Amino acid sequence: MSCDYLGSSASPVESGRRKDLAKYGYGGPCHASSPSGRTSQVGERRRRALRSPGLLKLKEMFNSKFGSIPKFYVRAPGRVNIIGEHIDYCGYSVLPMAVEQDMLIAVEPVKTQTLQLANTNPLYPDFSTSANNIQIDKTKPLWHNYFLCGFKGIQEHFGLSNLTGMNCLVDGNIPPSSGLSSSSALVCCAGLVTLTVLGMNLSKVELAEICAKSERYIGTEGGGMDQSISFLAEEGTAKLIEFSPLRATDVKLPSGAVFVIANSCVEMNKAATSHFNIRVMECRLAAKLLAKYKGLQWNKILRLEEVQAKLGVSLEEMLGIMEDALHPEPYSPEEVCRCLGISLQELQTQVLSANTQDVLIFKLYQRAKHVYSEAARVLQFKKICEEAPENMVQLLGELMNQSHVSCRDMYECSCPELDQLVDICRKFGAQGSRLTGAGWGGCTVSIVPADKLSSFLANVHEAYYQRSDRNLTSEKQSLFATKPGGGALVFLEA
């Protein structure tokens, strides 16, 4: 059950609270109106969860910190992208699912105009600022800036000033910089917190779009997948997320297989590196050169999907056009200018983003080839799930393996540790394994036959984690089976 409207790393509270949220079914229901006959069940699950040891611990920590009790809580899940990497910001569909790991914020509105943020993890220092003077420093991706992104996004959407303040205690058990979208989950959580404090309502789609846009305040040029699945997720099903307009379709995963996440223990922060934004810009440039080659108005084109849509051709045909129009050798800024018929100054001021103006080479052929082929794999993955042939798990695994090869060789967003971990996962029984998330570190996702799960987990743990000096905060955070979880929600203090 779900409703369409929302509104009016390991921490000290983790162990009890996470099990409690899973036990009481949080993720689908929200506190807006529910289908008839189910509202009382939802309310009862909320009341039971609010009495759980983990949430009581968070409540105690809030009271200790602020000298009061929270008025409500908001949770937003992390996600694992099963297939469809680095293509959401190119306009193409992706296939993620929410995971059990999440961000949880305890909240108390206050009469002052001060926003006070604290974290249950002592590694993340307290922060306070005026609710009406939000400043986000793009050069410093500090934890509180992600909260400020969500807060500012809602504030600007409604055009509000003179906002009330709030006390917030943030708890999270999504491993940071792991590719499971901890930063976006915090942005989504903060957006829903702000909406709730204001006493307003938005659809899940509107919230996802606002939070996707507002995360760009911190300098990340993402495409919206992370925020969309955080709000639109439902228990028991993965989602095909499509854009323009944003919509989500259920994808039933095979019952005879399990998806396993393994953390490479190499951290990569999207906002702290230029890799991610350079890839976004390379895709934009590739789209413009392809549009120019086919006689389209290239200056109005931003995404590779737009080229395909305007030409009215298939993804396979786009791959052929790309082979004719682009060369595998890297492009210099000067060559891009010659192809488009513009000056270097025009390229830097009208096309490139501020943080990519000093890039010396652009690999347009490789990036476009990955995007178009990966977009096709997403659609093939969904088709196989719908048709459910006998060799379904094998076929899905082959698509995941192809995806990793493309991410590694064409998009160059893997790293030696991820490649090693993928090889180990395949060696010990995964039908398919690939990096997930932005890459350059973070996690892999593998499809494993259910009857091989126990031996798979034991063998991967020994081969990758025990045979190295990797210092793991928590083994359960590093290697675990997962199933589709529910999306963001608000629940009130009893």
Side-chain angles (χ1 to χ4, degrees), residues 131-381:
N132 297 297
N133 185 30
I134 300 299
Q135 303 290 328
I136 300 172
D137 187 349
K138 287 186 179 183
T139 66
K140 297 179 181 178
L142 302 172
W143 79 272
H144 61 259
N145 281 331
Y146 292 98
F147 185 101
L148 297 181
C149 284
F151 183 92
K152 186 175 180 179
I154 296 297
Q155 180 186 30
E156 293 194 346
H157 175 79
F158 289 107
L160 299 174
S161 58
N162 199 32
L163 287 177
T164 185
M166 62 180 97
N167 296 332
C168 297
L169 180 60
V170 177
D171 181 40
N173 68 343
I174 308 170
S177 302
S178 65
L180 300 181
S181 195
S182 58
S183 56
S184 294
L186 181 51
V187 174
C188 291
C189 229
L192 188 47
V193 163
T194 309
L195 187 73
T196 306
V197 167
L198 293 173
M200 295 180 172
N201 292 294
L202 287 170
S203 71
K204 292 178 179 181
V205 167
E206 288 172 317
L207 263 170
E209 290 177 333
I210 291 167
C211 289
K213 190 183 299 183
S214 66
E215 192 164 333
R216 293 170 192 164
Y217 293 138
I218 206 164
T220 303
E221 298 285 338
M225 169 181 63
D226 301 346
Q227 300 81 7
S228 300
I229 191 64
S230 195
F231 285 113
L232 301 174
E234 293 182 70
E235 286 188 55
T237 180
K239 293 282 187 178
L240 180 77
I241 305 287
E242 300 172 88
F243 304 94
S244 301
L246 177 60
R247 56 207 184 277
T249 306
D250 291 356
V251 177
K252 182 174 172 52
L253 299 174
S255 57
V258 178
F259 288 89
V260 177
I261 295 171
N263 194 340
S264 70
C265 304
V266 176
E267 291 192 2
M268 179 271 177
N269 189 313
K270 279 192 299 188
T273 177
S274 61
H275 291 311
F276 184 88
N277 288 332
I278 290 173
R279 294 298 182 279
V280 174
M281 193 51 58
E282 286 175 316
C283 291
R284 183 175 298 177
L285 290 174
K288 289 182 180 297
L289 263 66
L290 286 169
K292 179 75 180 295
Y293 178 80
K294 297 300 290 185
L296 302 175
Q297 283 188 287
W298 64 265
N299 56 320
K300 294 184 177 180
I301 296 284
L302 292 176
R303 301 180 303 177
L304 287 164
E305 186 275 337
E306 294 174 56
V307 181
Q308 183 199 355
K310 288 186 181 300
L311 293 177
V313 300
S314 68
L315 285 164
E316 290 71 22
E317 288 172 311
M318 272 311 309
L319 282 165
I321 292 169
M322 183 218 73
E323 291 284 350
D324 294 335
L326 303 175
H327 56 67
E329 297 77 24
Y331 287 73
S332 67
E334 291 76 15
E335 185 178 5
V336 171
C337 290
R338 287 196 299 273
C339 291
L340 296 178
I342 59 175
S343 68
L344 189 60
Q345 184 180 8
E346 287 173 317
L347 177 69
Q348 291 177 334
T349 57
Q350 298 176 23
V351 180
L352 299 180
S353 58
N355 51 15
T356 58
Q357 289 181 3
D358 295 329
V359 177
L360 298 177
I361 61 167
F362 300 102
K363 296 187 177 182
L364 307 187
Y365 170 92
Q366 290 83 353
R367 309 319 183 214
K369 186 171 185 177
H370 166 76
V371 170
Y372 287 129
S373 63
E374 184 79 346
R377 282 187 285 271
V378 170
L379 299 181
Q380 291 165 1
F381 195 102

Side-chain angles (χ1 to χ4, degrees), residues 69-145:
I69 63 170
K71 293 297 185 291
F72 65 91
Y73 305 83
V74 171
R75 65 90 60 173
R79 62 97 189 97
V80 57
N81 191 23
I82 300 172
I83 196 163
E85 220 60 73
H86 285 283
I87 63 173
D88 59 337
Y89 53 79
C90 296
Y92 283 109
S93 305
V94 291
L95 212 155
M97 65 180 180
V99 294
E100 182 181 288
Q101 287 82 354
D102 58 15
M103 288 289 175
L104 181 71
I105 305 182
V107 187
E108 178 197 23
V110 295
K111 293 180 180 179
T112 69
Q113 294 185 335
T114 300
L115 185 61
Q116 293 198 80
L117 307 178
N119 200 302
T120 60
N121 189 328
L123 293 177
Y124 302 121
D126 294 357
F127 177 82
S128 65
T129 187
S130 167
N132 297 297
N133 185 30
I134 300 299
Q135 303 290 328
I136 300 172
D137 187 349
K138 287 186 179 183
T139 66
K140 297 179 181 178
L142 302 172
W143 79 272
H144 61 259
N145 281 331

